[in-house]
């Protein structure tokens, strides 16, 4: 169902104040799979996601969803096709899980329209898919970090968009919960066909979970392709200014990056 | 990575979701119903009971326009406008206060803490006492001052986005300045009595007249529905600006509409009754505790505000040997609650 969409950035320039973060960026987001955006700090990863979801107005160029500029698309209409989970959303004090997930239905509801069975079904599905059904009546404040992140993903799922953007959904999680979140997103992509775009810091997790890897430098796309194509020693040097070795991960057959610092390196560079 | 096959899942059905939602809605409806009933009861009591007590039948007669000896003046001219203003001003303060608290995600960010009521009050006192203007002009004066102060506080605390704490601290500073301005205006007009002074410093319903009630009633009828249309956007905005925008809320537009409507309500109510202390600040948190989390607080909070003002005014008039203005009573109730809230917010970093 999702293959029908196209999401492209055309000569996109975005910034804050007098600082330009993304400049002249062209990107055709691959549909149907999981794309992971990587890049050094302040290279424009989050800015790109925010511009693609209409949160930031472009200074130049545009983002086009299904042939229509997102900044000319009414906010609610866009939010029915394209969802974004930002880096640190806040849960209102005392709100229960089911209630919070229900907020994801906002773009499907009118000014005074009543809650419909379709809304309830979407919330139930989202809770079930994220395995948070047992938490439905618990206050979000009481959950652990990993549970809370799953609840936020459930809220984004209740929005029922064909495209879902996530800004560093694994920050502040320990490694097992990071895997849990990425596994969950993979399940959603495989079972629902949702196109997923994630900003991630961890290159090795990115390489493992991405169908398409997008490397950004200085607000432009440096490389886009399969992890094997993108995660090379040359790209890593160009994008992060870091010397590294890339080997094949025996557990996944994906590339695995081993950073080389100034100390503790036994092999020749 | 052995989980090629998804583990068995604990599911939930749409029916269960709907049930939980209905349970919460039912509680909210019950609260709204009980509060409304209590307001009606308090309203009737404050019409009937006083130095002279009239029966509900006599009071109803006066309302229907019958000429009843004594009652027509006491109830019709004194108690009825006063109690009506209490109900309406309370609704305005309650809904305006909780709007700010929700929008800024902080219970301390209510208009009576961050200087908006103080601005409207100072402007109204200046307009009446120094300039000698009539009710309509006073309301306009108050609303312009309220909006101006809101913009000023917002602008001064803006630094790459507005942080709640900074806005509150700046607002408290501005409120203190405005309070001294009010005191100055009052001191310059020596012929004004203590009653008038207490009205502009803490809020009072003494000498309420229909000419003062009407502008507030119109403001409520126009602006409260505007706020109610934004209720869902406002709840969604609590998730943070980015999350709300991603859900299709036009965050800036919502904020502007809501600020104008809420400041309007506060300013009109203040122009008529003074900045009745702490009502805007107390109503939201009280409503939140009765209704429970997750529901929209606009209507419950409006009702709590109304009930607070009607009850406090009645107590202020008759519960003690001296007649206290309503703001003194609400202030006595509110100040300890403010301390409690700051202590609790310190511990949990909570929002409402």
């Amino acid at each position: 169902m999702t293959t029908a969409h196209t999401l492209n950035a055309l000569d996109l320039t975005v910034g804050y104040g007098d600082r330009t973060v993304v400049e002249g960026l062209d990107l055709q987001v691959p549909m149907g799979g999981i794309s992971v955006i990587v890049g050094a700090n302040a290279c424009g990863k989050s800015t790109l996601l925010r511009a693609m979801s209409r949160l930031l107005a472009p200074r130049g160029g545009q983002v086009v969803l299904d042939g229509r500029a997102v900044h000319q698309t009414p906010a609610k209409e866009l939010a029915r096709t394209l969802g974004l989970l930002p880096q640190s959303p806040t849960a209102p004090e005392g709100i229960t899980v089911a209630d919070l997930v229900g907020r994801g239905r906002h773009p499907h509801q009118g000014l005074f329209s009543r809650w419909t069975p379709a809304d309830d079904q979407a919330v139930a599905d989202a809770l079930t898919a994220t395995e948070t059904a047992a938490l439905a009546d618990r206050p979000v404040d009481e959950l652990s970090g990993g549970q809370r992140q799953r609840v936020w993903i459930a809220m984004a799922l209740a929005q029922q968009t064909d495209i879902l953007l996530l800004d560093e959904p694994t920050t502040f999680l320990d490694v097992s919960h990071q895997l849990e979140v990425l596994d969950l997103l993979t399940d959603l992509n495989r079972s629902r066909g949702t196109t997923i775009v994630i900003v991630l810091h961890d290159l090795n997790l990115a390489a493992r979970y991405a169908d398409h890897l997008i490397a950004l430098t200085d607000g432009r796309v440096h490389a886009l392709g399969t992890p094997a194509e993108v995660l090379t020693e040359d790209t890593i040097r160009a994008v992060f200014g870091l010397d590294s070795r890339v080997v094949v991960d025996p557990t996944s057959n994906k590339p695995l990056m081993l950073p080389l610092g100034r100390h503790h390196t036994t092999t020749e560079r | 990575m052995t989980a090629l096959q998804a583990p068995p899942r604990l599911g939930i059905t749409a029916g269960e979701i709907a049930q939980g939602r209905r349970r919460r809605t039912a509680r909210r409806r019950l609260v709204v119903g009980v509060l409304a009933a209590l307001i009606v009861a308090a309203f009737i009591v404050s019409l009937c009971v006083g130095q002279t007590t009239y029966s509900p039948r006599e009071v109803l007669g006066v309302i229907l326009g019958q000429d009843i000896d004594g009652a027509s003046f006491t109830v019709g001219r004194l108690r009825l406008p006063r109690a009506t203003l209490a109900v309406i001003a309370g609704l305005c303060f309650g809904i305006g206060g909780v709007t700010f608290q929700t929008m800024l995600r902080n219970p301390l960010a209510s208009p009576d803490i961050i200087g908006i009521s103080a601005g409207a009050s100072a402007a109204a006192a200046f307009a009446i006492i120094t300039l000698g203007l009539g009710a309509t002009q006073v309301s306009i004066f108050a609303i312009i001052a309220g909006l101006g102060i809101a913009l000023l506080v917002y602008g001064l605390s803006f630094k790459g986005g507005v942080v709640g704490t900074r806005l509150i601290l700046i607002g408290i500073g501005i409120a203190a300045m405005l309070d001294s301005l009010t005191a100055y205006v009052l001191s310059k007009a020596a012929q004004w009595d203590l009653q008038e002074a207490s009205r502009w410093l803490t809020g009072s319903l003494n000498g309420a007249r229909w000419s003062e009630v009407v502008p507030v009633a119109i403001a409520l009828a126009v602006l409260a529905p505007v706020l109610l249309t934004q209720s869902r956007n406002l709840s969604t905005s609590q998730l943070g600006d980015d999350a709300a925008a991603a859900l299709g809320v036009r965050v800036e537009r919502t904020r502007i509409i809501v600020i104008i409507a809420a400041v309007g309500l506060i300013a009109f109510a203040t122009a008529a009754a003074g900045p009745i202390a702490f009502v805007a600040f107390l109503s939201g948190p009280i409503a939140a505790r009765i209704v429970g989390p997750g529901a929209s607080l606009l209507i419950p909070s409006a009702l709590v505000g109304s009930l607070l003002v009607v009850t406090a005014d009645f107590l202020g008039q008759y519960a003690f040997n001296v007649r206290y203005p309503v703001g003194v009573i609400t202030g006595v109730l509110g100040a300890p609650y403010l301390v409690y809230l700051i202590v609790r917010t310190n511990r949990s970093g909570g929002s409402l």
Side-chain angles (χ1 to χ4, degrees), chain B residues 30 35 94 104 115 129 139 156-157 163 205 319:
Chain B
L30 180 71
L35 284 172
L104 296 167
I129 297 172
S139 297
L156 286 176
S157 53
V163 180
L205 297 164

Side-chain angles (χ1 to χ4, degrees), chain A residues 24-45:
Chain A
L25 178 142
D26 286 296
L27 172 66
Q28 203 165 353
V29 177
M31 285 294 125
I34 296 183
S35 301
V36 178
I37 303 177
V38 296
N41 288 338
C43 72
K45 304 183 295 278

Side-chain angles (χ1 to χ4, degrees), chain A residues 1-2 31-35 182-196 198 206-212 227 254, chain B residues 1 3-4 6 9:
Chain A
M1 53 174 178
T2 172
M31 285 294 125
I34 296 183
S35 301
L182 293 169
D183 278 337
L184 166 63
L185 293 172
T186 308
D187 289 341
L188 299 171
N189 169 255
R190 304 293 187 252
S191 63
R192 299 187 175 198
T194 308
T195 297
I196 292 180
I198 318 173
R208 183 177 286 186
Y209 282 92
D211 298 315
H212 313 277
K254 303 275 186 170
Chain B
M1 288 305 290
L4 280 174
R9 280 176 178 164

Side-chain angles (χ1 to χ4, degrees), chain B residues 3 19 47 53 63 104-105 112 129-131 185 199 204 214 220 230 241 285 352:
Chain B
Q19 212 180 350
L47 290 184
T53 298
I63 294 174
L104 296 167
R105 299 176 207 115
D112 41 6
I129 297 172
T130 311
L131 303 180
V185 168
R199 177 166 168 210
S204 163
V214 173
L220 184 70
Q230 297 302 310
D241 288 358
L352 198 68

Side-chain angles (χ1 to χ4, degrees), chain A residues 50 55 75-76 79 84 86 89-90 92-94 99-100 103-104 106-107 109-111 113 115 120-121 123-124 127-128 131 133-134 136 155 159 187, chain B residues 1 7 9-14 17-18 21 23-24 228-229 232-233 235-236 238-240 242-243 245-250 293-294 344 350-352:
Chain A
R50 299 182 79 221
L55 268 56
K76 271 195 175 178
L84 166 77
T90 45
E93 190 179 319
D99 240 344
L100 182 69
R103 299 278 168 99
H106 186 271
Q109 295 168 329
L111 208 55
S113 66
W115 200 268
D120 288 325
Q121 190 61 52
V123 172
L127 290 172
T128 306
E131 295 178 38
M155 188 200 79
Q159 202 176 338
D187 289 341
Chain B
M1 288 305 290
R9 280 176 178 164
L10 199 56
I12 191 165
T13 62
I17 296 291
R21 192 169 43 69
R23 208 170 44 232
R24 287 188 296 272
L228 292 178
T229 62
R232 204 171 255 165
N233 286 339
S235 317
T236 307
Q238 284 181 298
L239 306 177
D242 278 5
L247 287 168
V249 177
R250 295 170 67 187
R344 204 185 57 102
S351 53
L352 198 68

Side-chain angles (χ1 to χ4, degrees), chain A residues 92-175:
Chain A
E93 190 179 319
I95 193 171
T96 63
V97 169
D99 240 344
L100 182 69
V101 174
R103 299 278 168 99
R105 297 304 294 166
H106 186 271
H108 299 272
Q109 295 168 329
L111 208 55
F112 292 110
S113 66
R114 296 178 66 87
W115 200 268
T116 64
D119 294 326
D120 288 325
Q121 190 61 52
V123 172
D125 288 349
L127 290 172
T128 306
T130 52
E131 295 178 38
T132 48
L135 308 173
D137 292 323
R138 293 263 302 275
V140 175
D141 318 334
E142 291 176 6
L143 304 182
S144 71
Q147 289 172 327
R148 201 173 299 174
Q149 196 58 27
R150 286 206 311 240
V151 168
W152 282 113
I153 293 174
M155 188 200 79
L157 289 185
Q159 202 176 338
Q160 290 185 322
T161 58
D162 289 338
I163 304 170
L164 178 56
L165 317 179
L166 301 103
D167 195 353
E168 299 195 29
T170 58
T171 337
F172 306 124
L173 297 183
D174 62 36
V175 65

